Amino acid sequence: MLRFDCTNALPFLPENWLSSRLEGLTNARSLLETGSGLGGAFTGWVHFPETYDQQELERLLQTARIIREQSQVLIVIGIGGSYLGARAVLELLTSPNYNLLCQDRPQIFFTGNTLSPDALTELLDYVRPRDFSVLVISKSGTTLEPSLAFLLFRQLLTEKYGKSGARDRVFVVTDRRQGGLRSLADALGCATFSIPSSIGGRYCVLTAAGLLPLAVAKLDPEELLSGARDAMLRLRQPGQDNPAWQYAAARNTLYQQGKGIEVLACYEPSFRFFGEWWKQLFGESEGKDGEGIFPASVEFTADLHSMGQYIQEGKRDLFETVVHFAVSGASCPLDPQDSDAQALGYLRGRDLRYVNDQARRGTALAHVKGGVPNLLVTVQERSAYWVGQLIYFFEYTCGLSGYLMGVNPFDQPGVEAYKNNMFALLGKPGYEGLLPEVL
């Protein structure tokens, strides 16, 4: 099981930081496990890793093989939880440069998360001369960004392959029974997969929404689910030794002390989009009713030369959570020679892995001395099994944290505010008169 360590936060925590929250954590656990709390209808993810339909998984793997055989490029259309999880895991387990390095599998581009005509036109022009397929992911099918992207890419598919050929290159992940995208997929007759109605978008990375694009990239969905399942079995056990309980209690304590910003950090560039997924997970789950820890993320060591100054000496209203992968996949020995020896000779015989880890340790010491509590999550390695554990750990902690905070961790009413105004400005029927008097 991954490990949680709050040693570098203890100087900032009262002695009873965990024991005083055991009653609240016990109640939060019960609400999660039974689905009886606020938003309980959307806690299907809690037990999902052990209930995943094996036949559905086999169909998903077969579909991934079809996409690989017929496509040089896969366009994944989605926004928020409909794409962040898949992109996070893809980059973390391969590389941010996946599309430059992939050889025997399609390039994968994510779109439907912008309204920029420049970005969409660029991608349309790129795939025009190539064989491509489209995977569109949306529970409702009514969100404007992915709807417009799907419209444009479906038109290009039809121009290139005809209606019948286009149908065979469109794949849909949506609600099993309802929604605009479900109706359209049924009308088109294309292959579909379902997101259970009991799982909200930001918790759906271990459903077909995340697993299908990852399978196309030849990553292992079964290993992801296996890691998540083992984490689920461990984290459902109550008590002070539960790492999710410890993380949730530490976050809650620091928040009540005025630490309203949590900065997620990692020393692997491939972690960047995992940070983006994490920000949505905690931001949408906690940020409501005037409450919530603001989630931010940084990439170390690069951001030590940009955000490092603020973290070290800025306003003391933040804390850090650092994700550390204990085993690096690459070895990079250092052997400074000649002109390099004077400046770098002290590193002779070391490996770059060692240097990176000392940077992590040195940064933690500096930030703690500067008044920034540090929480540490240690994962064995960047593999599908361990990333599955990490995903479930953050999801489960997020549920506990929301209930400790007294909010519904599974709704996002504030997201609709901008949509209503945008639709009114665009003249969508039914949205007349919704704009405020002053813009």
Side-chain angles (χ1 to χ4, degrees):
M1 181 66 199
L2 57 74
R3 302 188 303 276
F4 174 77
D5 184 357
C6 63
T7 301
N8 285 327
L10 290 179
F12 306 90
L13 296 171
E15 188 173 339
N16 66 343
W17 66 274
L18 179 54
S19 60
S20 63
R21 286 166 175 78
L22 291 180
E23 183 178 350
L25 286 164
T26 299
N27 181 59
R29 172 196 176 276
S30 176
L31 296 177
L32 277 183
E33 294 291 337
T34 62
S36 56
L38 291 171
F42 294 98
T43 54
W45 58 271
V46 174
H47 302 118
F48 193 70
E50 68 177 350
T51 60
Y52 200 99
D53 186 336
Q54 189 62 36
Q55 289 185 331
E56 181 82 345
L57 184 58
E58 288 298 325
R59 189 169 73 88
L60 183 149
L61 294 172
Q62 176 60 30
T63 300
R65 287 191 286 270
I66 292 171
I67 294 173
R68 285 199 300 268
E69 290 168 1
Q70 70 182 15
S71 304
Q72 296 170 284
V73 178
L74 174 65
I75 301 296
V76 179
I77 296 174
I79 196 167
S82 294
Y83 94 101
L84 281 172
R87 184 166 184 180
V89 177
L90 175 67
E91 293 196 6
L92 183 55
L93 292 181
T94 60
S95 164
N97 302 312
Y98 168 85
N99 284 334
L100 296 177
L101 301 174
C102 60
Q103 298 293 326
D104 58 344
R105 61 207 74 182
Q107 293 179 309
I108 299 177
F109 292 93
F110 295 88
T111 189
N113 46 65
T114 179
L115 293 172
S116 164
D118 290 346
L120 283 164
T121 300
E122 177 185 73
L123 191 53
L124 285 163
D125 289 344
Y126 180 79
V127 300
R128 198 178 304 275
R130 294 169 171 82
D131 284 321
F132 73 100
S133 296
V134 170
L135 169 60
V136 59
I137 305 167
S138 174
K139 286 198 75 174
S140 68
T142 60
T143 305
L144 190 59
E145 293 92 337
S147 294
L148 289 177
F150 188 31
L151 169 69
L152 294 169
F153 281 94
R154 198 168 77 250
Q155 288 175 341
L156 181 56
L157 280 173
T158 303
E159 293 172 12
K160 190 175 177 69
Y161 301 105
K163 286 187 176 181
S164 177
R167 178 198 60 208
D168 295 336
R169 290 174 176 271
V170 172
F171 303 87
V172 171
V173 179
T174 188
D175 189 88
R176 188 180 302 276
R177 297 182 180 86
Q178 60 185 4
L181 185 56
R182 167 55 64 183
S183 299
L184 179 58
D186 290 343
L188 292 174
C190 56
T192 63
F193 292 86
S194 299
I195 303 172
S197 58
S198 61
I199 300 180
R202 60 187 177 274
Y203 291 86
C204 75
V205 60
L206 296 174
T207 71
L211 298 184
L212 181 52
L214 295 173
V216 172
K218 291 190 174 181
L219 298 174
D220 193 340
E222 292 179 288
E223 279 296 294
L224 277 165
L225 288 166
S226 177
R229 184 165 52 249
D230 286 351
M232 176 198 69
L233 295 173
R234 172 67 182 89
L235 298 180
R236 69 168 46 156
Q237 303 302 319
Q240 298 188 57
D241 294 332
N242 186 315
W245 284 37
Q246 294 170 357
Y247 181 34
R251 294 179 79 251
N252 186 260
T253 305
L254 293 168
Y255 175 60
Q256 292 187 354
Q257 292 179 344
K259 305 289 187 182
I261 300 171
E262 180 176 11
V263 180
L264 185 74
C266 186
Y267 289 73
E268 292 292 342
S270 60
F271 192 80
R272 178 189 168 201
F273 258 89
F274 199 97
E276 296 299 313
W277 170 81
W278 175 89
K279 285 192 290 188
Q280 187 205 6
L281 178 68
F282 280 89
E284 281 194 350
S285 297
E286 291 183 337
K288 58 201 68 167
D289 302 334
E291 298 288 346
I293 299 170
F294 184 85
S297 62
V298 290
E299 178 192 317
F300 287 162
T301 59
D303 283 335
L304 290 173
H305 300 264
S306 57
M307 294 300 296
Q309 172 62 39
Y310 187 95
I311 294 172
Q312 186 69 43
E313 295 185 339
K315 192 174 180 180
R316 302 296 76 185
D317 58 353
L318 56 86
F319 64 97
E320 285 180 302
T321 297
V322 178
V323 174
H324 170 53
F325 294 94
V327 177
S328 173
S331 176
C332 188
L334 303 173
D335 187 19
Q337 299 292 322
D338 303 329
S339 60
D340 296 323
Q342 184 173 358
L344 299 173
Y346 68 99
L347 294 176
R348 182 175 289 113
R350 300 292 192 183
D351 193 280
L352 193 56
R353 292 180 296 189
Y354 174 83
V355 178
N356 197 33
D357 200 43
Q358 302 322 300
R360 176 184 64 83
R361 295 176 63 192
T363 302
L365 291 170
H367 287 179
V368 170
K369 187 175 181 180
V372 180
N374 260 242
L375 307 175
L376 179 64
V377 178
T378 299
V379 186
Q380 180 66 15
E381 61 187 6
R382 287 193 299 132
S383 67
Y385 173 83
W386 287 101
V387 170
Q389 282 209 6
L390 186 62
I391 289 168
Y392 193 87
F393 169 75
F394 278 131
E395 289 181 341
Y396 200 82
T397 303
C398 189
L400 293 176
S401 295
Y403 284 140
L404 277 181
M405 200 172 285
V407 300
N408 180 348
F410 307 112
D411 68 352
Q412 54 281 339
V415 175
E416 300 305 314
Y418 94 89
K419 293 182 182 180
N420 292 337
N421 290 342
M422 177 180 65
F423 288 143
L425 287 166
L426 289 169
K428 184 176 180 178
Y431 288 81
E432 300 87 352
L434 292 182
L435 286 175
E437 293 183 4
V438 179
L439 290 176

